[in-house]
Amino acid sequence: MRRKLSALAALATVVAATAVALVVPTAGPAAAASCPNGYVGLTYDDGPNPSSTTALLNALKAANVKATFFIWGQHAQQYPDLLRAEANAGMWIANHSWTHPHMTQLSQSGMQSEISQTQNVIQSTIGQTPKLFRPPYGETNSTLKSVESSYGLTEIIWSHDSQDWNGASTDSIVNTAAQMTNGSIILMHDGGYQTTINAVPRIVQGLTSRGLCPGMIQPGTGRVVAPDGSSGGTTTTTTTRTTTTTTTRAGGGGTTTTTTANNGGGGGSCTVTPSTQTWNGGYVQNVTVKSSGMTSGWTVTIGVPSGATISNGWSATFSGSSGTVTATNVSYNGNASGGQAFGFQGTGSPSGMTFSCSTR
Ligand code: ZN
């Protein structure tokens, strides 16, 4: 109880210091004391795997935490006992396709087949139907999103990539995890990597020392919440905002312009850095958003020049396809630090396209 009171006192200080912040502490259970700074999602893809699943589960159990396992359907068919062990250990079981293809290169029926076969094997093996889907390689498009929705699946990408699949050392995995903040989701693999298994206790220790806890990715919203599905003792913080500058980028391929907007409320600010590739009749924009301070989300306003359209976007929610379009962060891509990436492609020339960023 003392810890809770001092946490509230600290919140009161924040309110006084920033004046514009509305701080709404939700009634929290015991978790509030140990997780005052919120929850992050630990995720493990591509299993089950006979060379790592058992050791990984043991490491997670020893650390007394739960994680989300994005299951490769064929592997679940091959190793049903390992899938059962994951479910019995209380891990959250999610869909990661049947054959691990580049989903965006498939027809709609191909996408349906990948998703439905995996739903079916998981249902028949552990009696649960997944509610979350992660496309292999994080590659998605509007067709895939509609297929996911038709199966009641929420798409989850990640905010932090451990690079364990790319040979990252245990130290490096732990360092990436140390960058996570409330709501972050880290990509790791049940892929036979000892580095990933060795990182578990150090990741959890690091999170604990920063008042963070591994949590559950909530179906529907894709947010990371307390392991019991409640919002737990986390604090909902809203800052008022005003937005400012806009810069126009010049046409031509591959150039980059940075646009800055300051949050007038003294809470946070954000910058947006577009990177453009063009070809005859079309373009791709990859955009990095960096924000800081008491930022719980961002919106990038895009001025689409006449004659150009946005035909497909990813890792953000888009309001339209031409004229003034806003791209707002989705739950897995809305953290305050570290830089969040989204992108879109379209037709026409992006020359003269404008970007501005605001936070809330
Ligand atoms: Zn994968």
Side-chain angles (χ1 to χ4, degrees):
M1 200 57 200
R2 277 176 68 186
R3 288 172 83 176
K4 195 166 174 183
L5 287 173
S6 67
L8 287 173
L11 290 175
T13 307
V14 170
V15 174
T18 64
V20 296
L22 303 171
V23 180
V24 185
T26 51
S34 52
C35 314
N37 295 328
Y39 298 92
V40 302
L42 306 181
T43 69
Y44 295 96
D45 289 11
D46 298 357
N49 186 319
S51 64
S52 53
T53 300
T54 302
L56 181 56
L57 287 177
N58 287 340
L60 291 166
K61 284 188 232 176
N64 198 26
V65 297
K66 292 182 183 177
T68 303
F69 283 68
F70 286 92
I71 299 298
W72 184 325
Q74 284 180 325
H75 294 171
Q77 185 183 50
Q78 210 172 348
Y79 308 111
D81 288 347
L82 291 176
L83 177 60
R84 284 187 203 102
E86 292 169 1
N88 289 340
M91 302 299 155
W92 298 288
I93 304 301
N95 187 325
H96 191 45
S97 82
W98 184 252
T99 65
H100 209 275
H102 293 275
M103 296 289 286
T104 56
Q105 295 173 12
L106 301 181
S107 65
Q108 185 169 339
S109 64
M111 294 174 180
Q112 288 167 335
S113 170
E114 287 284 335
I115 287 175
S116 65
Q117 286 190 86
T118 305
Q119 293 293 86
N120 291 343
V121 74
I122 292 172
Q123 166 65 37
S124 66
T125 306
I126 61 170
Q128 299 175 23
T129 305
K131 299 284 198 297
L132 307 177
F133 177 75
R134 172 176 284 163
Y137 316 103
E139 295 168 356
T140 189
N141 62 20
S142 56
T143 306
L144 179 57
K145 286 173 192 287
S146 72
V147 172
E148 292 163 358
S149 300
S150 73
Y151 287 93
L153 291 162
T154 303
E155 183 179 273
I156 304 297
I157 312 292
W158 56 80
S159 59
H160 292 70
D161 180 353
S162 71
Q163 296 275 329
D164 61 349
W165 55 273
N166 199 23
S169 66
T170 296
D171 281 352
S172 175
I173 295 167
V174 170
N175 287 340
T176 300
Q179 308 303 312
M180 290 198 289
T181 56
N182 186 24
S184 294
I185 294 174
I186 185 169
L187 170 70
M188 296 178 286
H189 291 83
D190 182 9
Y193 308 125
Q194 191 61 41
T195 47
T196 307
I197 295 162
N198 291 346
V200 169
R202 292 174 55 193
I203 289 173
V204 174
Q205 191 175 36
L207 291 172
T208 303
S209 72
R210 296 191 294 127
L212 291 164
C213 297
M216 179 184 84
I217 304 171
Q218 192 174 48
T221 66
R223 292 172 193 230
V224 188
V225 298
D228 65 2
S230 76
S231 59
T234 57
T235 301
T236 306
T237 304
T238 308
T239 55
T240 56
R241 64 170 164 102
T242 53
T243 315
T244 50
T245 36
T246 305
T247 305
T248 306
R249 66 166 291 282
T255 58
T256 295
T257 303
T258 300
T259 302
T260 306
N262 289 311
N263 181 321
S269 64
C270 59
T271 61
V272 51
T273 307
S275 170
T276 312
Q277 288 176 281
T278 57
W279 62 83
N280 258 351
Y283 66 92
V284 171
Q285 289 278 16
N286 280 291
V287 184
T288 302
V289 178
K290 289 194 175 177
S291 52
S292 63
M294 295 178 64
T295 306
S296 60
W298 48 260
T299 297
V300 173
T301 302
I302 305 157
V304 181
S306 78
T309 63
I310 294 174
S311 57
N312 177 40
W314 52 89
S315 300
T317 301
F318 294 81
S319 66
S321 60
S322 61
T324 301
V325 175
T326 60
T328 53
N329 73 285
V330 287
S331 57
Y332 54 82
N333 205 7
N335 299 294
S337 60
Q340 314 301 320
F342 74 97
F344 53 94
Q345 63 190 63
T347 59
S349 167
S351 180
M353 188 170 283
T354 62
F355 296 87
S356 66
C357 183
S358 62
T359 60
R360 60 176 163 77

